[in-house]
Amino acid sequence: MSDSRCSAVTPLDTPIQFGFGIASEVEAHLQRAAHLVNNRNASLQALMDAYHEAPDQVETLVAMFKILFYQGETGKAESVVREAMHKAAEQGGFNNDWESLEEETADWDNPRGFGRLYLYSLKALTFIRLRQDRAEEAKGILTAMQRIDPNDQVGADVLRDLLQGVAEEDDDG
């Protein structure tokens, strides 16, 4: 890369795996966003470029909400998480209402499937609720995730431990 924006690029040793079956143009925008993560405006522009290139690509939304969350934009991240959940459910052929989902509702086991993207998005919503000090809502989401994904394929136990730590701090303080 030889343009003048190189100074804002954070070098990564290897490309980030954003998903499977992503068009090369979209993948290039996502990689650029990851490299520019320390430059909020440039990173978000790269994500918007990816989104405009493929608005139904759920993996683009996942990348977008992760970067927004890490940049402290929880409100914007939540909006994108909800869009990702909606699109994953729609494309996966199941209901978007996490409170009504069951283990049998979708193929949650397929790491390349829309069910798994939905679970990752639901986990992100839990992170957002914790960041917003809405622990009871986070707990409700985690209860649903345990019902939907009893084998915890997306690592929700980390959030359960975090929530438990928050509850213990509240009890001590």
Side-chain angles (χ1 to χ4, degrees):
M1 199 165 165
S2 62
D3 76 26
S4 61
R5 292 177 290 174
C6 283
S7 62
V9 174
T10 302
L12 299 176
D13 293 335
T14 58
I16 294 174
Q17 177 69 44
F18 287 102
F20 306 97
I22 299 173
S24 60
E25 304 84 27
V26 175
E27 181 69 27
H29 292 307
L30 294 176
Q31 294 299 328
R32 186 167 45 101
H35 286 285
L36 295 168
V37 73
N38 292 326
N39 182 330
R40 178 179 291 197
N41 292 335
S43 180
L44 290 176
Q45 183 59 54
L47 289 170
M48 292 308 298
D49 292 345
Y51 179 78
H52 291 300
E53 188 80 34
D56 289 329
Q57 184 83 50
V58 179
E59 292 88 347
T60 300
L61 295 169
V62 171
M64 191 178 291
F65 70 61
K66 284 181 178 182
I67 289 177
L68 287 167
F69 180 80
Y70 291 130
Q71 292 178 343
E73 300 278 352
T74 56
K76 290 179 183 176
E78 180 177 348
S79 176
V80 176
V81 164
R82 290 192 177 280
E83 184 177 356
M85 290 170 62
H86 172 77
K87 287 185 179 185
E90 181 178 71
Q91 293 173 31
F94 55 89
N95 190 327
N96 184 31
D97 178 16
W98 54 268
E99 294 176 295
S100 69
L101 298 174
E102 298 292 335
E103 185 177 3
E104 302 79 26
T105 303
D107 182 5
W108 311 110
D109 296 336
N110 181 355
R112 296 182 180 201
F114 292 108
R116 187 67 63 89
L117 288 169
Y118 186 90
L119 287 173
Y120 279 123
S121 300
L122 196 54
K123 180 180 172 185
L125 184 60
T126 308
F127 264 116
I128 290 168
R129 288 294 175 261
L130 288 171
R131 174 76 57 90
Q132 294 169 334
D133 292 326
R134 294 162 67 179
E136 284 303 310
E137 289 178 49
K139 185 177 178 181
I141 296 168
L142 288 170
T143 298
M145 288 187 75
Q146 191 164 20
R147 181 182 69 245
I148 297 166
D149 179 25
N151 297 323
D152 194 27
Q153 298 175 83
V154 296
D157 276 346
V158 171
L159 294 171
R160 284 184 194 90
D161 293 345
L162 184 60
L163 189 61
Q164 180 65 35
V166 169
E168 288 172 4
E169 281 182 19
D170 288 345
D171 290 343
D172 292 341

